[in-house]
């Protein structure tokens, strides 16, 4: 299935912490990243892809367009999705992650904005975030899914028609016709790029062209 | 020639010496020439090697006739028999060059691509290394004449090949590069094969009693071929598959069957018309020189 990347704007991470960030000894355990789509109309989200960097749990909330009158609502679409099975150890810490719409808790239509809430309970890691965030929506359906008619040829219903007697032998006719096709195809494929250098069009010359030469 | 005659007794001497075992040093110094040396000196070794290579390249069915023809051409090429210098001689020379080029071109079938390309190169050199006064190079007049000769000798009806000639001929004053020459030759030979295939196809379509083909059947086969050539898809593998399916026996039988559904006898299609229409399909795919 094809997908199309949606241009998005990822805001800076905001740490949730009690006390002053700079003076406090403890490191924050929760980060919030807002993602907006300034240049896109509300779209149906297909996939979220990112590279983890020491985030243990991920919650995603989505703001969806409902109608023109009521203000858009925030809905949690993913709750405490585990990115690192053990927050104290490396496993899953730097993996690429894809989250599809069927993994979400709610319908992902008409998305206006996303908010990623990152949690890392372990104090072992000095920082955590997600990188290379990319949002995809569903692309146009691939057009050539209908099979050409010749692929299922000859039709079973056409097959049993009894052939007239006195018809030329089809297999020999076919063999000659295929040879002729191959010869033509060979000439079509072999062409030289060398030109002989004619400047005339149907035997006439362009006056401007002549005056320049 | 005289130099060669002079050498001959020396050679026989040398041969007798080698036969009698180790030759005396003093006599060998006078005539230090073995049979092998002689052959090399007069150029026979090189000539035979070239001839053998040509035989290997062309793999003719009748090697003797092939070699006879080959050496005949060699004779024409050597300067002793060549340019007499007089105006009628010039014309004759031109004809000889054409004949030689044609002979080279026919040595290998176009499907033996490397050999064919080599021969095209040789033919091009044959034609372009012309008279002393003229600058080297191949002009459009010679090229067009060669094309005409090939088509005439190929036993294809004139009206069948005329459209192709119009498409790939050059004007008399134009200089023909090797690539254009090669493409023209290849196209010409392939068309001739195409026409002979079409002739065979026509024979298959012929009504045994009447010795002509039914117009509807002929047209149906040609239409099927045209359809296969204009396959919808542009990517090569899909196009080949589609053409294969369209030109399969089932599909052709159906087309012919449909054409004959009305059992009424209809007009006949002559062989010339069939060939012309078939060739038109081919020629439509040829890129014109420009």
């Amino acid at each position: 299935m094809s997908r199309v990347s949606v241009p998005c704007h990822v805001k800076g991470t905001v740490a949730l912490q009690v006390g002053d960030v700079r003076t406090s000894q403890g490191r924050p355990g929760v980060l919030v990243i807002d993602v907006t789509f300034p240049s896109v109309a509300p779209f149906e989200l297909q996939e979220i892809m990112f590279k983890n960097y020491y985030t243990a749990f991920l919650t995603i909330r989505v703001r969806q367009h409902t109608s023109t009158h009521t203000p858009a609502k925030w809905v949690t679409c993913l709750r405490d999705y585990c990115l690192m099975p053990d927050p104290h150890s490396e496993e899953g810490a730097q993996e690429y992650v894809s989250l599809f719409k069927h993994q979400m808790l709610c319908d992902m239509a008409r998305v206006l904005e996303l908010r990623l809430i990152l949690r890392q309970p372990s104090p072992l890691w000095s920082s955590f975030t997600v990188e290379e965030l990319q949002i995809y929506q569903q692309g146009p359906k691939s057009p050539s899914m209908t099979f050409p008619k010749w692929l299922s040829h000859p039709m079973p219903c056409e097959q049993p028609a009894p052939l007239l007697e006195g018809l030329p032998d089809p297999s020999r006719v076919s063999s000659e016709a295929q040879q002729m096709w191959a010869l033509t195809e060979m000439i079509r494929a072999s062409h030289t790029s060398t030109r002989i250098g004619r400047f005339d069009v149907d035997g006439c010359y362009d006056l401007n062209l002549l005056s320049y030469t | 020639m005289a130099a060669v005659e002079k050498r001959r007794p020396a050679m026989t001497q040398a041969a007798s010496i080698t036969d009698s075992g180790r030759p005396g040093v003093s006599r060998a110094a006078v005539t230090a020439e073995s049979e092998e040396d002689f052959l090399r000196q007069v150029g026979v070794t090189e000539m035979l090697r070239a001839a053998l290579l040509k035989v290997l390249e062309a793999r003719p069915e009748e090697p003797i006739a092939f070699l006879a023809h080959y050496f005949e051409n060699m004779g024409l090429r050597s300067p002793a028999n060549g340019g007499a210098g007089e105006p009628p001689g010039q014309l004759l020379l031109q004809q000889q060059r054409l004949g030689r080029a044609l002979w080279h071109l026919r040595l290998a079938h176009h499907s033996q691509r490397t050999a064919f390309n080599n021969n095209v190169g040789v033919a091009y050199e044959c034609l372009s290394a012309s008279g002393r006064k003229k600058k080297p190079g191949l002009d459009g007049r010679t090229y067009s004449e060669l094309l005409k000769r090939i088509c005439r000798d190929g036993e294809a009806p004139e009206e069948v090949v005329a459209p192709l000639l119009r498409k790939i001929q050059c004007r008399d004053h134009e200089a023909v590069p090797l690539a254009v020459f090669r493409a023209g030759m290849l196209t010409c030979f392939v068309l001739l094969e195409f026409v002979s295939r079409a002739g065979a196809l026509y024979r298959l379509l012929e009504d045994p009693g009447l010795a002509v083909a039914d117009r509807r059947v002929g047209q149906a086969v040609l239409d099927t071929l045209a359809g296969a050539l204009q396959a919808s898809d542009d990517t090569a593998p899909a196009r080949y598959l589609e053409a294969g399916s369209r030109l399969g026996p089932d599909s052709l039988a159906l087309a012919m069957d449909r054409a004959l559904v009305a059992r009424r006898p209809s007009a006949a299609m002559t062989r010339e018309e069939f060939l012309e229409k078939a060739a038109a399909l081919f020629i439509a795919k040829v890129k014109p020189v420009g």
Side-chain angles (χ1 to χ4, degrees):
Chain A
M1 193 180 290
S2 68
R3 51 174 204 181
V4 177
S5 177
V6 184
C8 60
H9 177 244
V10 181
K11 294 185 181 172
T13 54
V14 177
L16 298 187
Q17 194 177 22
V18 182
D20 193 334
V21 179
R22 279 160 295 184
T23 56
S24 176
Q25 289 297 307
R27 281 191 283 266
V30 181
L31 291 181
V32 176
I33 300 175
D34 273 352
V35 183
T36 57
F37 306 95
S39 56
V40 190
F43 64 95
E44 176 162 13
L45 186 141
Q46 172 78 18
E47 186 183 347
I48 301 175
M49 209 169 94
F50 58 87
K51 180 175 179 286
N52 187 22
Y53 187 80
Y54 294 96
T55 303
F57 300 102
L58 175 68
T59 299
I60 300 178
R61 282 167 69 79
V62 59
R63 198 159 72 94
Q64 283 172 312
H65 182 81
T66 42
S67 74
T68 45
H69 305 296
T70 52
K73 279 198 311 179
W74 281 101
V75 186
T76 302
C77 61
L78 192 72
R79 196 185 299 277
D80 284 338
Y81 183 80
C82 180
L83 299 173
M84 291 165 71
D86 176 10
H88 300 297
S89 60
E90 277 280 346
E91 191 186 343
Q94 299 195 43
E95 278 180 359
Y96 279 90
V97 181
S98 263
L99 295 167
F100 293 91
K101 87 178 159 189
H102 63 259
Q103 290 172 283
M104 306 294 181
L105 299 171
C106 64
D107 182 32
M108 295 304 282
R110 301 183 304 279
V111 172
L112 290 171
E113 208 176 328
L114 287 178
R115 175 167 291 170
L116 278 58
I117 300 158
L118 283 48
R119 292 204 299 125
Q120 178 48 276
S122 166
L124 283 175
W125 321 110
S126 60
S127 69
F128 62 95
T129 182
V130 293
E131 298 166 343
E132 301 173 30
L133 183 66
Q134 278 180 308
I135 314 291
Y136 294 98
Q137 63 177 329
Q138 188 168 350
K141 285 205 165 54
S142 49
S144 64
M145 289 314 284
T146 51
F147 289 105
K149 183 163 167 275
W150 56 265
L151 207 58
S152 50
H153 191 83
M155 306 293 190
C157 55
E158 293 180 66
Q159 184 72 310
L163 297 176
L164 291 169
E165 69 276 14
L167 210 59
D169 181 2
S171 61
R172 288 169 65 198
V173 170
S174 159
S175 144
E176 289 295 339
Q178 287 187 20
Q179 295 270 11
M180 287 161 70
W181 176 85
L183 290 171
T184 314
E185 197 61 27
M186 194 174 93
I187 282 302
R188 189 219 296 256
S190 81
H191 58 273
T192 166
S193 55
T194 311
R195 297 175 57 81
I196 206 157
R198 288 181 190 163
F199 295 105
D200 57 321
V201 178
D202 297 333
C204 305
Y205 288 93
D206 183 358
L207 198 59
N208 288 324
L209 194 66
L210 287 179
S211 63
Y212 287 138
T213 50
Chain B
M1 262 335 208
V4 178
E5 298 301 333
K6 255 185 230 159
R7 255 201 302 264
R8 195 145 289 165
M11 192 256 331
T12 40
Q13 243 177 1
S16 62
I17 291 162
T18 21
D19 285 345
S20 62
R22 293 282 126 207
V25 179
S26 58
R27 295 191 64 186
V30 183
T31 58
E33 198 178 42
S34 68
E35 289 156 340
E36 203 182 325
D37 285 335
F38 167 73
L39 289 178
R40 198 179 302 125
Q41 268 179 20
V42 292
V44 171
T45 312
E46 201 46 50
M47 195 167 68
L48 283 179
R49 187 199 302 275
L52 287 181
L53 281 175
K54 279 288 169 205
V55 172
L56 284 176
E57 200 178 79
R59 301 195 176 248
E61 280 175 15
E62 291 171 13
I64 293 179
F66 178 87
L67 280 173
H69 208 138
Y70 178 82
F71 285 116
E72 199 177 316
N73 259 288
M74 293 286 291
L76 285 179
R77 195 191 302 197
S78 65
N81 305 339
E86 283 90 56
Q90 276 292 339
L91 198 65
L92 193 67
L93 205 62
Q94 172 77 2
Q95 287 303 316
Q96 278 179 0
R97 270 200 301 269
L98 272 182
R100 214 154 56 218
L102 270 173
W103 183 78
H104 278 293
L105 286 170
R106 293 218 181 88
L107 275 183
H109 188 255
H110 62 78
S111 59
Q112 298 167 288
R113 192 51 62 86
T114 321
F116 183 78
N117 278 346
N118 282 344
N119 293 335
V120 167
V122 174
Y124 185 76
E125 273 170 29
C126 264
L127 289 174
S128 54
S130 58
R132 288 152 230 149
K133 280 175 283 178
K134 281 206 281 180
K135 286 177 192 159
L138 177 60
D139 59 358
R141 186 205 313 268
T142 319
Y143 168 70
S144 302
E145 201 173 328
L146 187 63
L147 285 178
K148 272 187 218 132
R149 281 278 292 271
I150 294 173
C151 289
R152 192 179 346 125
D153 299 351
E155 293 165 1
E158 188 137 334
E159 56 273 22
V160 171
V161 293
L164 176 79
L165 291 181
R166 273 202 296 281
K167 221 166 174 180
I168 61 172
Q169 256 173 359
C170 290
R171 291 167 208 165
D172 285 357
H173 60 86
E174 280 170 337
V176 183
L178 177 60
V180 170
F181 179 75
R182 184 190 298 137
M185 293 301 125
L186 182 67
T187 312
C188 213
F189 279 110
V190 175
L191 175 72
L192 290 180
E193 189 175 338
F194 182 88
V195 170
S196 78
R197 288 276 170 203
L201 181 56
Y202 184 81
R203 275 194 295 282
L204 285 175
L205 298 180
E206 264 173 2
D207 192 316
L210 299 169
V212 281
D214 188 289
R215 171 171 293 274
R216 291 165 306 175
V217 176
Q219 196 58 49
V221 172
L222 287 177
D223 287 347
T224 315
L225 181 60
L229 282 169
Q230 299 167 341
S232 51
D233 207 325
D234 265 353
T235 52
R239 201 172 68 223
Y240 295 168
L241 283 175
E242 181 174 354
S245 143
R246 279 166 184 254
L247 294 178
D250 295 336
S251 174
L252 272 169
L254 260 175
M256 292 188 289
D257 194 43
R258 272 201 212 109
L260 280 180
V261 147
R263 276 173 172 266
R264 291 187 310 273
S266 78
M269 185 185 249
T270 61
R271 181 185 164 81
E272 284 68 34
E273 187 186 352
F274 184 80
L275 292 188
E276 210 171 318
K277 283 186 168 168
L281 294 178
F282 177 90
I283 293 167
K285 301 290 176 200
V286 174
K287 291 180 188 65
V289 291

